[in-house]
Amino acid sequence: MEGSVSLHIPQELLESAQRLISPEETLNDVVILALDREVRRRKGLAAHQKILALHKELLPQPDDTELIRQLREGER
């Protein structure tokens, strides 16, 4: 589903983007790509913040390095 929106882009930013756009792409392509990247970045940031919040709630977990070494060496 596609929609139509009006955007107000600062003139300097618009001019910079237009200078950098390749002949094969349109300003619309660039805006869609930038919006997609920003949405993914914000989703990632939200997930990271949830992980940090959970980390604060959980008790510290023991270091299993020695147990793993023992299991690999057949000591357990």
Side-chain angles (χ1 to χ4, degrees):
M1 180 173 99
E2 291 187 24
S4 178
V5 297
S6 294
L7 299 174
H8 299 280
I9 302 171
Q11 188 65 32
E12 185 177 313
L13 179 58
L14 180 59
E15 290 170 359
S16 293
Q18 288 172 330
R19 283 192 300 271
L20 297 172
I21 292 174
S22 71
E24 299 85 36
E25 59 187 353
T26 65
L27 182 59
N28 189 68
D29 296 333
V30 172
V31 169
I32 290 170
L33 179 62
L35 187 57
D36 181 59
R37 285 181 179 165
E38 183 63 15
V39 167
R40 284 187 280 123
R41 186 190 73 81
R42 289 183 185 210
K43 283 182 180 179
L45 181 59
H48 180 70
Q49 289 171 340
K50 285 180 184 177
I51 290 168
L52 291 177
L54 284 173
H55 183 69
K56 287 181 181 178
E57 293 177 15
L58 297 175
L59 297 174
Q61 300 296 309
D63 183 8
D64 292 330
T65 306
E66 182 61 26
L67 175 60
I68 292 169
R69 186 191 63 75
Q70 290 173 358
L71 289 170
R72 285 182 179 159
E73 294 177 4
E75 296 174 14
R76 283 199 176 211

